[in-house]
């Protein structure tokens, strides 16, 4: 299998940290959106779809952007997040706010290699997977790496249970 080389702040960071990763190609639909059935695609490649770490960007009442890294398909628990951040309100970032805040397009946002001013929260679900899949910074590609390597990179992030299982 030919390994694909892509370059982004994410791959730079991983290379710099000496972390091994693999590039996963995610075919885009005609209108350049990542495939909806990513789960199916990953399963075909022998990857557990639950191991995808989604980077959920949201904005707080005090105009700060916060990124929640969550695996296992859990949903953000807004009550817990507000309490943790000591904020009255949180809302999902708008489509066009994502690239402004992160430097990455929707569908390619990684939980690492982000601007300093974005606070990062890591849900404990990320610890459940030996290998995780993250956004690569480049639309149409994801990266798989060892979960403990990702957590090492996220060492300064707040860790906790930020999701509701329902």
């Amino acid at each position: 299998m030919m390994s694909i080389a892509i370059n982004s702040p994410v791959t730079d960071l991983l290379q710099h940290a000496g972390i091994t990763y693999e590039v996963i190609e995610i075919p885009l639909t005609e209108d350049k959106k990542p495939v909806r059935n990513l789960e199916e695609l990953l399963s075909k490649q022998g990857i557990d779809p639950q191991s995808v770490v989604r980077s959920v960007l949201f904005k707080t009442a005090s105009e700060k952007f916060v990124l929640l890294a969550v695996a296992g398909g859990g949903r953000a628990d807004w009550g817990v997040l507000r309490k943790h951040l000591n904020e009255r309100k949180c809302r999902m970032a708008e489509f066009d706010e994502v690239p402004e805040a992160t430097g990455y397009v929707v569908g390619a946002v990684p939980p690492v290699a982000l601007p300093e001013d974005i606070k990062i929260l890591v849900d404990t679900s990320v610890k459940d997977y030996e290998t995780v899949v993250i956004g690569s910074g480049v639309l149409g590609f994801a990266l798989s790496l060892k979960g403990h390597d990702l957590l090492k990179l996220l060492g300064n992030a707040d860790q906790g249970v930020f999701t509701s299982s329902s």
Side-chain angles (χ1 to χ4, degrees), residues 53-88:
V53 175
R54 295 199 324 282
S55 297
V56 182
L57 187 71
F58 56 96
K59 197 176 191 177
T60 66
S62 62
E63 300 287 300
K64 292 188 184 71
F65 283 104
V66 180
L67 183 128
L68 171 65
V70 53
R75 298 199 164 276
D77 184 321
W78 296 106
V80 170
L81 289 166
R82 284 194 304 269
K83 203 163 163 185
H84 180 82
L85 298 162
N86 197 15
E87 291 276 0
R88 286 184 301 114

Side-chain angles (χ1 to χ4, degrees), residues 13-72:
L13 175 74
L14 294 175
Q15 283 159 7
H16 186 74
I19 290 172
T20 326
Y21 63 90
E22 276 177 42
V23 178
I24 301 165
E25 191 164 2
I26 302 166
L28 298 173
T29 56
E30 318 256 293
D31 54 359
K32 293 279 181 286
K33 292 202 171 65
V35 287
R36 281 272 168 250
N37 55 354
L38 179 62
E39 277 76 13
E40 195 181 312
L41 179 87
L42 293 172
S43 301
K44 281 199 185 106
Q45 298 186 19
I47 298 163
D48 178 358
Q50 295 288 312
S51 71
V52 173
V53 175
R54 295 199 324 282
S55 297
V56 182
L57 187 71
F58 56 96
K59 197 176 191 177
T60 66
S62 62
E63 300 287 300
K64 292 188 184 71
F65 283 104
V66 180
L67 183 128
L68 171 65
V70 53

Side-chain angles (χ1 to χ4, degrees), residues 83-127:
K83 203 163 163 185
H84 180 82
L85 298 162
N86 197 15
E87 291 276 0
R88 286 184 301 114
K89 275 205 200 102
C90 294
R91 63 163 174 84
M92 293 288 292
E94 304 281 346
F95 196 84
D96 56 346
E97 286 175 331
V98 174
E100 278 170 38
T102 66
Y104 303 101
V105 294
V106 172
V109 180
V112 293
L114 293 160
E116 297 278 305
D117 57 350
I118 294 183
K119 185 175 181 64
I120 302 175
L121 307 177
V122 182
D123 187 68
T124 49
S125 56
V126 176
K127 290 196 178 82

